[in-house]
Amino acid sequence: MIRAYKFLMRPTMGQAIALGEMLRDHCSLYNGALQERRDAYRHVSKTSVKYGMQSTQLKDIRAFDPERQGRWSFSSQQATLRRLEKAFIAFFRRIKSGETPGYPRFRGVNWFDTVDFPKDGDGCRWNSTPHDPTTRVRFQGVGHVKVNQHRPVVGKVKTVSVKREGQKWFVVLTAEQEQPEPLPATGSVAGIDLGIANFLADSNGEFVPNPCHGRTAAAKLEAAQQALSRFPRRKAKDRTSNQQRAVEKVAQLHGKVRRQRLDHAHKTALTLVRKYDFIAHEDLRIRNMSRSPEPKPDPEQAGVFLPNGAASKAGLNRSIADAGWGVFLTILHAKAESAGREVIAVDPRNTSRQCPECGHTAKENRPTREKFHCQACDHQAHADTVGALNVLRAGLVRREAQPA
């Protein structure tokens, strides 16, 4: 199996400048390759430029610009071109499926934060000074950079990436390792129902409260963004020191909220994986759930629109984003795979409206957000617990139906 590790780097001032220049030059390569593809297709010949054609030009590009493009790893530049190729593949795939995707965009220097090295030892070297008590990673054109390695790396390192987050630098590794020993069986199963008031409820009647990290930090974020809005929009190189500090303050607050959500998702998923052998959850289409409502034109007045509930839907969308369901489910599946547990997604339709006792399904069974009252058999329970019970039953049925 493949596992990722992320460590904070502590570069010197000169190394931080070199890392910034590496991102800048890879961003320039990405934008140049994108411009070549656009110009070629706009030509009367309608030429389609692919990755292989652009990769063969790298040798000439490096020879023409040795101070910038020739300074960095050849394989990392190939990875940047593959990144553009993947963007175009995804663009055309969405077109074929009937969606309306945006054309791949040019990247600003501040929006290009990652450089990939496809192989450890080709332009980079993890643990480049093995006899040094301090772990270091070496990058071509940068040197040996100190790493705050807070846990051991198990397995063979396959790829290395440099990532910038605000003013901090991280190294991200992927390591190939053997499948770990599964956790001892507990004999317990559970269905979970994700929500807003409670982060989740399980079929055993237990609840995990929603920490609402974004809502907690909303006042500080609002103040920081108001302070930033007082400055005119400028490119990064033209910002004053006060404006740059305001930008960094907003980024720090958003970064803290993101880390809090990740921490909560990891801890909650680990608790579930240790407790249950089988976990069923709703197969949520989060992007559709957080989509803005369509405008309602007034048929009697041209240019006038009727109320469509956009304000209240915007508040619900913020709550869904703040809960971080998608991140949590991704982490849950990854931890379950490592622990030898089974996780199944089921159809969420009517899970909170169907009575677990008699099977009666009706909208009236759920009169409020938290209350479930069956109109047929008078069964009463918490609505989220009822949803989790129905999710568990559907998950068990689906597991039995799967071929052995």
Side-chain angles (χ1 to χ4, degrees):
M1 64 177 295
I2 301 296
R3 173 164 292 179
Y5 297 85
K6 183 178 179 181
F7 300 116
L8 176 67
M9 294 195 296
R10 302 190 183 278
T12 63
M13 183 65 70
Q15 289 173 340
I17 293 173
L19 288 170
E21 292 174 348
M22 179 170 65
L23 289 182
R24 177 202 64 191
D25 294 338
H26 277 74
C27 178
S28 176
L29 177 66
Y30 182 96
N31 290 336
L34 175 56
Q35 184 66 54
E36 182 186 21
R37 289 181 179 235
R38 293 183 61 177
D39 292 344
Y41 191 75
R42 287 175 176 175
H43 192 264
V44 292
S45 61
K46 297 288 185 181
T47 304
S48 295
V49 178
K50 302 296 184 181
Y51 161 76
M53 301 168 62
Q54 293 186 318
S55 179
T56 56
Q57 301 174 29
L58 273 178
K59 184 177 180 179
D60 296 331
I61 293 173
R62 292 166 60 86
F64 178 77
D65 189 8
E67 297 297 325
R68 293 185 59 180
Q69 297 298 337
R71 180 181 174 185
W72 313 114
S73 165
F74 188 91
S75 60
S76 68
Q77 293 172 325
Q78 288 180 315
T80 298
L81 295 179
R82 288 194 194 97
R83 181 173 169 182
L84 177 63
E85 178 75 7
K86 290 179 181 178
F88 273 94
I89 291 174
F91 170 72
F92 290 117
R93 184 186 69 245
R94 294 189 186 100
I95 290 178
K96 290 182 179 179
S97 63
E99 302 178 30
T100 55
Y103 192 81
R105 302 179 183 179
F106 292 101
R107 300 296 186 92
V109 176
N110 292 333
W111 292 90
F112 195 95
D113 294 326
T114 305
V115 172
D116 299 321
F117 295 82
K119 182 180 179 181
D120 182 32
D122 188 359
C124 65
R125 173 65 68 184
W126 168 249
N127 196 13
S128 57
T129 55
H131 303 293
D132 192 335
T134 302
T135 304
R136 298 176 189 269
V137 58
R138 181 187 177 277
F139 298 108
Q140 180 177 326
V142 178
H144 302 270
V145 184
K146 288 184 179 180
V147 177
N148 182 21
Q149 185 181 357
H150 58 273
R151 60 172 176 160
V153 177
V154 180
K156 181 181 179 181
V157 175
K158 304 293 288 184
T159 67
V160 181
S161 299
V162 174
K163 185 175 179 62
R164 177 179 61 192
E165 293 184 5
Q167 298 297 310
K168 295 182 179 180
W169 293 92
F170 294 88
V171 57
V172 182
L173 314 172
T174 60
E176 185 177 19
Q177 51 191 235
E178 296 181 357
Q179 184 72 25
E181 290 292 328
L183 294 179
T186 63
S188 300
V189 297
I192 58 175
D193 180 85
L194 299 175
I196 299 297
N198 291 301
F199 181 73
L200 67 82
D202 67 23
S203 53
N204 298 314
E206 298 182 4
F207 298 88
V208 176
N210 187 359
C212 300
H213 297 298
R215 186 180 302 175
T216 304
K220 291 183 179 180
L221 270 170
E222 182 180 2
Q225 288 170 336
Q226 285 180 349
L228 176 60
S229 67
R230 298 188 183 103
F231 296 96
R233 292 178 64 89
R234 293 192 181 100
K235 293 183 178 180
K237 62 183 181 66
D238 298 327
R239 292 172 184 163
T240 64
S241 57
N242 288 338
Q243 183 178 7
Q244 187 60 35
R245 280 193 289 271
V247 171
E248 293 171 4
K249 180 65 175 177
V250 174
Q252 288 172 1
L253 290 172
H254 279 293
K256 181 177 180 180
V257 172
R258 183 179 68 253
R259 291 191 297 273
Q260 287 175 326
R261 286 198 193 110
L262 277 173
D263 179 71
H264 179 261
H266 275 285
K267 290 177 179 177
T268 305
L270 184 60
T271 301
L272 291 173
V273 166
R274 286 175 173 173
K275 196 172 182 180
Y276 302 112
D277 295 336
F278 172 82
I279 302 169
H281 68 85
E282 297 169 298
D283 188 10
L284 300 176
R285 297 293 185 263
I286 301 174
R287 180 175 296 181
N288 295 341
M289 295 173 64
S290 57
R291 184 174 297 169
S292 300
E294 295 291 334
K296 290 184 177 181
D298 190 338
E300 299 180 357
Q301 302 181 55
V304 178
F305 293 86
L306 299 174
N308 64 345
S312 59
K313 187 62 169 66
L316 176 61
N317 292 347
R318 282 193 296 270
S319 298
I320 292 174
D322 192 19
W325 298 336
V327 172
F328 166 73
L329 292 177
T330 301
I331 292 173
L332 177 63
H333 279 266
K335 289 188 181 297
E337 181 185 2
S338 297
R341 305 305 200 200
E342 189 175 3
V343 177
I344 287 182
V346 302
D347 189 346
R349 286 178 294 183
N350 293 323
T351 52
S352 62
R353 298 177 178 179
Q354 182 179 8
C355 179
E357 296 294 328
C358 68
H360 176 66
T361 303
K363 181 180 179 181
E364 293 74 21
N365 286 352
R366 189 172 182 176
T368 65
R369 174 186 293 179
E370 297 183 356
K371 185 178 179 181
F372 181 89
H373 186 184
C374 180
Q375 304 301 305
C377 69
D378 204 37
H379 174 69
Q380 299 184 36
H382 195 287
D384 293 342
T385 303
V386 169
L389 278 169
N390 289 325
V391 167
L392 173 60
R393 291 179 178 179
L396 292 173
V397 170
R398 184 174 178 184
R399 182 175 68 168
E400 293 297 328
Q402 289 179 348

mmCIF file with all atom_site columns, all heavy atoms in Angstrom, residues 252-264:
data_model
loop_
_atom_site.group_PDB
_atom_site.id
_atom_site.type_symbol
_atom_site.label_atom_id
_atom_site.label_alt_id
_atom_site.label_comp_id
_atom_site.label_asym_id
_atom_site.label_entity_id
_atom_site.label_seq_id
_atom_site.pdbx_PDB_ins_code
_atom_site.Cartn_x
_atom_site.Cartn_y
_atom_site.Cartn_z
_atom_site.occupancy
_atom_site.B_iso_or_equiv
_atom_site.pdbx_formal_charge
_atom_site.auth_seq_id
_atom_site.auth_comp_id
_atom_site.auth_asym_id
_atom_site.auth_atom_id
_atom_site.pdbx_PDB_model_num
ATOM 1   N N   . GLN A 1 252 ? -3.133  32.696 7.857  1.00 0.00 ? 252 GLN A N   1
ATOM 2   C CA  . GLN A 1 252 ? -2.892  31.956 9.094  1.00 0.00 ? 252 GLN A CA  1
ATOM 3   C C   . GLN A 1 252 ? -4.192  31.488 9.732  1.00 0.00 ? 252 GLN A C   1
ATOM 4   O O   . GLN A 1 252 ? -4.291  30.355 10.214 1.00 0.00 ? 252 GLN A O   1
ATOM 5   C CB  . GLN A 1 252 ? -2.117  32.833 10.072 1.00 0.00 ? 252 GLN A CB  1
ATOM 6   C CG  . GLN A 1 252 ? -0.658  33.052 9.703  1.00 0.00 ? 252 GLN A CG  1
ATOM 7   C CD  . GLN A 1 252 ? 0.025   34.073 10.589 1.00 0.00 ? 252 GLN A CD  1
ATOM 8   O OE1 . GLN A 1 252 ? -0.588  34.613 11.514 1.00 0.00 ? 252 GLN A OE1 1
ATOM 9   N NE2 . GLN A 1 252 ? 1.288   34.362 10.308 1.00 0.00 ? 252 GLN A NE2 1
ATOM 10  N N   . LEU A 1 253 ? -5.212  32.347 9.733  1.00 0.00 ? 253 LEU A N   1
ATOM 11  C CA  . LEU A 1 253 ? -6.486  31.965 10.330 1.00 0.00 ? 253 LEU A CA  1
ATOM 12  C C   . LEU A 1 253 ? -7.159  30.850 9.539  1.00 0.00 ? 253 LEU A C   1
ATOM 13  O O   . LEU A 1 253 ? -7.686  29.884 10.120 1.00 0.00 ? 253 LEU A O   1
ATOM 14  C CB  . LEU A 1 253 ? -7.402  33.187 10.410 1.00 0.00 ? 253 LEU A CB  1
ATOM 15  C CG  . LEU A 1 253 ? -6.988  34.259 11.426 1.00 0.00 ? 253 LEU A CG  1
ATOM 16  C CD1 . LEU A 1 253 ? -7.847  35.498 11.272 1.00 0.00 ? 253 LEU A CD1 1
ATOM 17  C CD2 . LEU A 1 253 ? -7.082  33.722 12.846 1.00 0.00 ? 253 LEU A CD2 1
ATOM 18  N N   . HIS A 1 254 ? -7.146  30.955 8.207  1.00 0.00 ? 254 HIS A N   1
ATOM 19  C CA  . HIS A 1 254 ? -7.722  29.884 7.385  1.00 0.00 ? 254 HIS A CA  1
ATOM 20  C C   . HIS A 1 254 ? -6.939  28.580 7.578  1.00 0.00 ? 254 HIS A C   1
ATOM 21  O O   . HIS A 1 254 ? -7.534  27.491 7.634  1.00 0.00 ? 254 HIS A O   1
ATOM 22  C CB  . HIS A 1 254 ? -7.717  30.288 5.912  1.00 0.00 ? 254 HIS A CB  1
ATOM 23  C CG  . HIS A 1 254 ? -8.855  31.177 5.526  1.00 0.00 ? 254 HIS A CG  1
ATOM 24  N ND1 . HIS A 1 254 ? -10.168 30.751 5.519  1.00 0.00 ? 254 HIS A ND1 1
ATOM 25  C CD2 . HIS A 1 254 ? -8.888  32.483 5.139  1.00 0.00 ? 254 HIS A CD2 1
ATOM 26  C CE1 . HIS A 1 254 ? -10.958 31.743 5.143  1.00 0.00 ? 254 HIS A CE1 1
ATOM 27  N NE2 . HIS A 1 254 ? -10.210 32.809 4.906  1.00 0.00 ? 254 HIS A NE2 1
ATOM 28  N N   . GLY A 1 255 ? -5.621  28.682 7.666  1.00 0.00 ? 255 GLY A N   1
ATOM 29  C CA  . GLY A 1 255 ? -4.802  27.490 7.867  1.00 0.00 ? 255 GLY A CA  1
ATOM 30  C C   . GLY A 1 255 ? -5.088  26.822 9.201  1.00 0.00 ? 255 GLY A C   1
ATOM 31  O O   . GLY A 1 255 ? -5.117  25.587 9.296  1.00 0.00 ? 255 GLY A O   1
ATOM 32  N N   . LYS A 1 256 ? -5.309  27.610 10.247 1.00 0.00 ? 256 LYS A N   1
ATOM 33  C CA  . LYS A 1 256 ? -5.620  27.034 11.558 1.00 0.00 ? 256 LYS A CA  1
ATOM 34  C C   . LYS A 1 256 ? -6.946  26.285 11.519 1.00 0.00 ? 256 LYS A C   1
ATOM 35  O O   . LYS A 1 256 ? -7.063  25.177 12.062 1.00 0.00 ? 256 LYS A O   1
ATOM 36  C CB  . LYS A 1 256 ? -5.666  28.140 12.608 1.00 0.00 ? 256 LYS A CB  1
ATOM 37  C CG  . LYS A 1 256 ? -5.949  27.626 14.008 1.00 0.00 ? 256 LYS A CG  1
ATOM 38  C CD  . LYS A 1 256 ? -5.928  28.728 15.040 1.00 0.00 ? 256 LYS A CD  1
ATOM 39  C CE  . LYS A 1 256 ? -6.221  28.180 16.438 1.00 0.00 ? 256 LYS A CE  1
ATOM 40  N NZ  . LYS A 1 256 ? -6.196  29.256 17.470 1.00 0.00 ? 256 LYS A NZ  1
ATOM 41  N N   . VAL A 1 257 ? -7.954  26.879 10.885 1.00 0.00 ? 257 VAL A N   1
ATOM 42  C CA  . VAL A 1 257 ? -9.262  26.211 10.783 1.00 0.00 ? 257 VAL A CA  1
ATOM 43  C C   . VAL A 1 257 ? -9.129  24.908 10.007 1.00 0.00 ? 257 VAL A C   1
ATOM 44  O O   . VAL A 1 257 ? -9.705  23.881 10.387 1.00 0.00 ? 257 VAL A O   1
ATOM 45  C CB  . VAL A 1 257 ? -10.280 27.145 10.118 1.00 0.00 ? 257 VAL A CB  1
ATOM 46  C CG1 . VAL A 1 257 ? -11.575 26.400 9.816  1.00 0.00 ? 257 VAL A CG1 1
ATOM 47  C CG2 . VAL A 1 257 ? -10.568 28.350 11.006 1.00 0.00 ? 257 VAL A CG2 1
ATOM 48  N N   . ARG A 1 258 ? -8.364  24.932 8.918  1.00 0.00 ? 258 ARG A N   1
ATOM 49  C CA  . ARG A 1 258 ? -8.178  23.721 8.120  1.00 0.00 ? 258 ARG A CA  1
ATOM 50  C C   . ARG A 1 258 ? -7.496  22.625 8.943  1.00 0.00 ? 258 ARG A C   1
ATOM 51  O O   . ARG A 1 258 ? -7.913  21.455 8.904  1.00 0.00 ? 258 ARG A O   1
ATOM 52  C CB  . ARG A 1 258 ? -7.347  24.036 6.883  1.00 0.00 ? 258 ARG A CB  1
ATOM 53  C CG  . ARG A 1 258 ? -7.167  22.832 5.954  1.00 0.00 ? 258 ARG A CG  1
ATOM 54  C CD  . ARG A 1 258 ? -6.359  23.183 4.727  1.00 0.00 ? 258 ARG A CD  1
ATOM 55  N NE  . ARG A 1 258 ? -4.970  23.489 5.053  1.00 0.00 ? 258 ARG A NE  1
ATOM 56  C CZ  . ARG A 1 258 ? -4.444  24.707 5.035  1.00 0.00 ? 258 ARG A CZ  1
ATOM 57  N NH1 . ARG A 1 258 ? -5.186  25.737 4.702  1.00 0.00 ? 258 ARG A NH1 1
ATOM 58  N NH2 . ARG A 1 258 ? -3.177  24.910 5.342  1.00 0.00 ? 258 ARG A NH2 1
ATOM 59  N N   . ARG A 1 259 ? -6.492  22.986 9.713  1.00 0.00 ? 259 ARG A N   1
ATOM 60  C CA  . ARG A 1 259 ? -5.788  21.986 10.532 1.00 0.00 ? 259 ARG A CA  1
ATOM 61  C C   . ARG A 1 259 ? -6.691  21.456 11.642 1.00 0.00 ? 259 ARG A C   1
ATOM 62  O O   . ARG A 1 259 ? -6.634  20.270 11.985 1.00 0.00 ? 259 ARG A O   1
ATOM 63  C CB  . ARG A 1 259 ? -4.516  22.596 11.126 1.00 0.00 ? 259 ARG A CB  1
ATOM 64  C CG  . ARG A 1 259 ? -3.436  22.893 10.091 1.00 0.00 ? 259 ARG A CG  1
ATOM 65  C CD  . ARG A 1 259 ? -2.118  23.235 10.761 1.00 0.00 ? 259 ARG A CD  1
ATOM 66  N NE  . ARG A 1 259 ? -2.219  24.443 11.555 1.00 0.00 ? 259 ARG A NE  1
ATOM 67  C CZ  . ARG A 1 259 ? -2.038  25.670 11.088 1.00 0.00 ? 259 ARG A CZ  1
ATOM 68  N NH1 . ARG A 1 259 ? -1.744  25.848 9.807  1.00 0.00 ? 259 ARG A NH1 1
ATOM 69  N NH2 . ARG A 1 259 ? -2.119  26.725 11.880 1.00 0.00 ? 259 ARG A NH2 1
ATOM 70  N N   . GLN A 1 260 ? -7.538  22.303 12.207 1.00 0.00 ? 260 GLN A N   1
ATOM 71  C CA  . GLN A 1 260 ? -8.471  21.844 13.231 1.00 0.00 ? 260 GLN A CA  1
ATOM 72  C C   . GLN A 1 260 ? -9.466  20.842 12.662 1.00 0.00 ? 260 GLN A C   1
ATOM 73  O O   . GLN A 1 260 ? -9.782  19.836 13.312 1.00 0.00 ? 260 GLN A O   1
ATOM 74  C CB  . GLN A 1 260 ? -9.213  23.043 13.831 1.00 0.00 ? 260 GLN A CB  1
ATOM 75  C CG  . GLN A 1 260 ? -8.357  23.906 14.745 1.00 0.00 ? 260 GLN A CG  1
ATOM 76  C CD  . GLN A 1 260 ? -9.089  25.151 15.217 1.00 0.00 ? 260 GLN A CD  1
ATOM 77  O OE1 . GLN A 1 260 ? -9.905  25.722 14.496 1.00 0.00 ? 260 GLN A OE1 1
ATOM 78  N NE2 . GLN A 1 260 ? -8.794  25.587 16.429 1.00 0.00 ? 260 GLN A NE2 1
ATOM 79  N N   . ARG A 1 261 ? -9.964  21.111 11.465 1.00 0.00 ? 261 ARG A N   1
ATOM 80  C CA  . ARG A 1 261 ? -10.893 20.167 10.834 1.00 0.00 ? 261 ARG A CA  1
ATOM 81  C C   . ARG A 1 261 ? -10.205 18.826 10.581 1.00 0.00 ? 261 ARG A C   1
ATOM 82  O O   . ARG A 1 261 ? -10.786 17.757 10.810 1.00 0.00 ? 261 ARG A O   1
ATOM 83  C CB  . ARG A 1 261 ? -11.394 20.739 9.507  1.00 0.00 ? 261 ARG A CB  1
ATOM 84  C CG  . ARG A 1 261 ? -12.406 21.868 9.649  1.00 0.00 ? 261 ARG A CG  1
ATOM 85  C CD  . ARG A 1 261 ? -13.159 22.072 8.351  1.00 0.00 ? 261 ARG A CD  1
ATOM 86  N NE  . ARG A 1 261 ? -13.904 23.320 8.373  1.00 0.00 ? 261 ARG A NE  1
ATOM 87  C CZ  . ARG A 1 261 ? -13.615 24.393 7.659  1.00 0.00 ? 261 ARG A CZ  1
ATOM 88  N NH1 . ARG A 1 261 ? -12.570 24.374 6.845  1.00 0.00 ? 261 ARG A NH1 1
ATOM 89  N NH2 . ARG A 1 261 ? -14.349 25.481 7.734  1.00 0.00 ? 261 ARG A NH2 1
ATOM 90  N N   . LEU A 1 262 ? -8.979  18.871 10.080 1.00 0.00 ? 262 LEU A N   1
ATOM 91  C CA  . LEU A 1 262 ? -8.251  17.635 9.817  1.00 0.00 ? 262 LEU A CA  1
ATOM 92  C C   . LEU A 1 262 ? -8.021  16.848 11.102 1.00 0.00 ? 262 LEU A C   1
ATOM 93  O O   . LEU A 1 262 ? -8.172  15.624 11.128 1.00 0.00 ? 262 LEU A O   1
ATOM 94  C CB  . LEU A 1 262 ? -6.908  17.958 9.147  1.00 0.00 ? 262 LEU A CB  1
ATOM 95  C CG  . LEU A 1 262 ? -6.926  18.188 7.639  1.00 0.00 ? 262 LEU A CG  1
ATOM 96  C CD1 . LEU A 1 262 ? -5.555  18.659 7.168  1.00 0.00 ? 262 LEU A CD1 1
ATOM 97  C CD2 . LEU A 1 262 ? -7.318  16.927 6.900  1.00 0.00 ? 262 LEU A CD2 1
ATOM 98  N N   . ASP A 1 263 ? -7.639  17.548 12.157 1.00 0.00 ? 263 ASP A N   1
ATOM 99  C CA  . ASP A 1 263 ? -7.386  16.881 13.428 1.00 0.00 ? 263 ASP A CA  1
ATOM 100 C C   . ASP A 1 263 ? -8.660  16.200 13.941 1.00 0.00 ? 263 ASP A C   1
ATOM 101 O O   . ASP A 1 263 ? -8.636  15.044 14.379 1.00 0.00 ? 263 ASP A O   1
ATOM 102 C CB  . ASP A 1 263 ? -6.882  17.911 14.441 1.00 0.00 ? 263 ASP A CB  1
ATOM 103 C CG  . ASP A 1 263 ? -6.607  17.297 15.799 1.00 0.00 ? 263 ASP A CG  1
ATOM 104 O OD1 . ASP A 1 263 ? -5.622  16.535 15.908 1.00 0.00 ? 263 ASP A OD1 1
ATOM 105 O OD2 . ASP A 1 263 ? -7.369  17.559 16.756 1.00 0.00 ? 263 ASP A OD2 1
ATOM 106 N N   . HIS A 1 264 ? -9.779  16.901 13.868 1.00 0.00 ? 264 HIS A N   1
ATOM 107 C CA  . HIS A 1 264 ? -11.051 16.323 14.316 1.00 0.00 ? 264 HIS A CA  1
ATOM 108 C C   . HIS A 1 264 ? -11.444 15.131 13.449 1.00 0.00 ? 264 HIS A C   1
ATOM 109 O O   . HIS A 1 264 ? -11.917 14.100 13.969 1.00 0.00 ? 264 HIS A O   1
ATOM 110 C CB  . HIS A 1 264 ? -12.141 17.400 14.276 1.00 0.00 ? 264 HIS A CB  1
ATOM 111 C CG  . HIS A 1 264 ? -13.489 16.909 14.701 1.00 0.00 ? 264 HIS A CG  1
ATOM 112 N ND1 . HIS A 1 264 ? -14.479 16.552 13.784 1.00 0.00 ? 264 HIS A ND1 1
ATOM 113 C CD2 . HIS A 1 264 ? -14.015 16.681 15.927 1.00 0.00 ? 264 HIS A CD2 1
ATOM 114 C CE1 . HIS A 1 264 ? -15.536 16.152 14.442 1.00 0.00 ? 264 HIS A CE1 1
ATOM 115 N NE2 . HIS A 1 264 ? -15.303 16.213 15.733 1.00 0.00 ? 264 HIS A NE2 1
#
